[in-house]
Amino acid sequence: MFLRCGKVKLDLSQPKIMGIVNVTPDSFSDGGKHLSHQAAIIHAYRLIEEGANILDIGGESTRPGAAIVSEQEELDRVIPVIEGLQNIYVPISIDTYKPAVMRAALAAGASMVNDINALQESEALVVLAKSDAAVCLMHKQGSPQNMQQSPQYIDVMDEVTTFLRLRLQACVAAGIALDRLVIDPGFGFGKTLEHNFEILRNLNEFIELGIPVLAGLSRKSMLGQVTGQAVEHRQAASVAAALIAVQRGARILRVHDVRETVDALKVWQAVNERILEK
Ligand code: 8Y4
């Protein structure tokens, strides 16, 4: 199984790691954005060194209740970072739901779009159809501002699967080939603790859609709820969750802690390889 990201064909026969690069505004906002861009670029290089296979660059926090960032502000945050990463060999993913940001990021060198809105914004399908970039289609219920108020499903697996199938069909109808698409159930996006763990338990069911599955569990509140740990102490829980996702068929893991997740995957791979040797 391969994922086409522009010129790069990403081999997903072994699970791959997407490292998270947040471009957050620096606290010296009077002095322009140079420092936060520089910090994001340095962090990106570190994640590559640690073994990241994709970098996910985001300029708007999509954590529950986070403030909305204007299109121009988001562009000002992410485009200089993408431009500053011209020489890297790993594909760059742009984390955005705004079509104008997608277009500018792809022009600046990104070869994947990670859209928590699954290309439902008008023009998003058109922007991607005109490109050769990969796309991650994520499920959410509600908007990041209200999604955790009272998530409700009759059957969460059924609803998420149906939504992702419809978005896959919309992408194919718009001219985006299947080998450019990834699906993601969207852990924490309009889901209760029970919903999130039901999805993780049954993650293998998404494989039937025939498209690689991406899982984003890193540091999320579902892990805080079961461990009692604050966000800065969820590394072990995140690695455990990532490994469970891989065992249930996830092909891409979106993580903050790249080095630790790489090691966990090496243990998993050693177990699998040694089955074949016997
Ligand atoms: C601590 C740190 C607590 C981060 C919560 C968070 C996903 C995603 C996000 C995901 C895909 C987040 C952009 C939420 N999550 N994209 N983005 N899948 N494809 N929260 O699960 O990291 S942001």
Side-chain angles (χ1 to χ4, degrees):
M1 195 178 248
F2 286 88
L3 179 66
R4 200 144 58 84
C5 306
K7 284 185 270 294
V8 175
K9 250 181 82 185
L10 200 64
D11 179 5
L12 297 181
S13 61
Q14 295 298 335
K16 291 290 176 282
I17 293 183
M18 170 186 267
I20 301 170
V21 178
N22 287 316
V23 192
T24 46
D26 57 59
S27 34
F28 323 95
S29 44
D30 56 316
K33 297 195 169 59
H34 189 70
L35 289 174
S36 50
H37 296 148
Q38 223 23 60
I41 290 168
I42 289 167
H43 189 64
Y45 278 112
R46 182 177 142 189
L47 296 186
I48 294 170
E49 216 173 77
E50 292 184 356
N53 309 109
I54 307 170
L55 294 177
D56 192 36
I57 317 269
E60 177 182 25
S61 175
T62 33
R63 285 165 68 168
I68 294 179
V69 169
S70 77
E71 182 177 297
Q72 191 56 54
E73 173 67 22
E74 203 180 325
L75 287 166
D76 291 346
R77 289 184 190 179
V78 296
I79 300 304
V81 174
I82 296 170
E83 287 173 346
L85 293 171
Q86 291 303 323
N87 300 321
I88 65 172
Y89 57 90
V90 304
I92 294 175
S93 159
I94 173 72
D95 159 18
T96 189
Y97 62 86
K98 296 188 184 80
V101 177
M102 294 173 188
R103 192 185 292 114
L106 295 173
S111 59
M112 179 168 181
V113 169
N114 175 28
D115 184 2
I116 63 157
N117 203 32
L119 305 188
Q120 292 179 98
E121 203 81 6
S122 58
E123 292 303 302
L125 282 171
V126 181
V127 170
L128 265 297
K130 287 180 182 160
S131 81
D132 56 4
V135 187
C136 179
L137 302 168
M138 198 195 79
H139 174 273
K140 65 174 163 50
Q141 185 179 88
S143 69
Q145 286 69 45
N146 66 20
M147 64 190 179
Q148 288 308 107
Q149 281 163 20
S150 65
Q152 281 176 30
Y153 299 86
I154 294 165
D155 179 336
V156 67
M157 285 303 297
D158 187 63
E159 283 184 43
V160 172
T161 306
T162 299
F163 171 82
L164 292 174
R165 187 182 289 116
L166 285 170
R167 294 315 299 157
L168 284 174
Q169 286 167 359
C171 286
V172 172
I176 305 170
L178 284 172
D179 68 351
R180 295 169 52 195
L181 296 167
V182 176
I183 51 170
D184 179 345
F187 289 103
F189 283 84
K191 283 127 188 147
T192 64
L193 182 66
E194 286 68 32
H195 295 140
N196 285 315
F197 277 93
E198 184 177 345
I199 293 169
L200 184 54
R201 188 179 308 118
N202 297 296
L203 198 68
N204 55 299
E205 290 182 17
F206 296 112
I207 301 169
E208 287 162 29
L209 292 170
I211 301 293
V213 174
L214 185 152
L217 292 146
S218 187
R219 299 184 188 173
K220 286 192 174 171
S221 72
M222 60 186 282
L223 305 178
Q225 286 172 274
V226 295
T227 59
Q229 299 286 5
V231 64
E232 65 273 21
H233 294 123
R234 293 178 190 163
Q235 211 181 52
S238 299
V239 172
L243 202 53
I244 292 164
V246 158
Q247 286 178 317
R248 283 157 165 70
R251 292 277 117 191
I252 303 176
L253 301 166
R254 181 178 180 274
V255 306
H256 297 89
D257 304 299
V258 169
R259 189 191 305 279
E260 292 76 7
T261 313
V262 166
D263 280 0
L265 280 183
K266 283 182 180 167
V267 175
W268 182 77
Q269 282 157 348
V271 171
N272 291 335
E273 280 162 21
R274 273 148 246 238
I275 291 170
L276 303 174
E277 274 175 20
K278 277 212 150 186

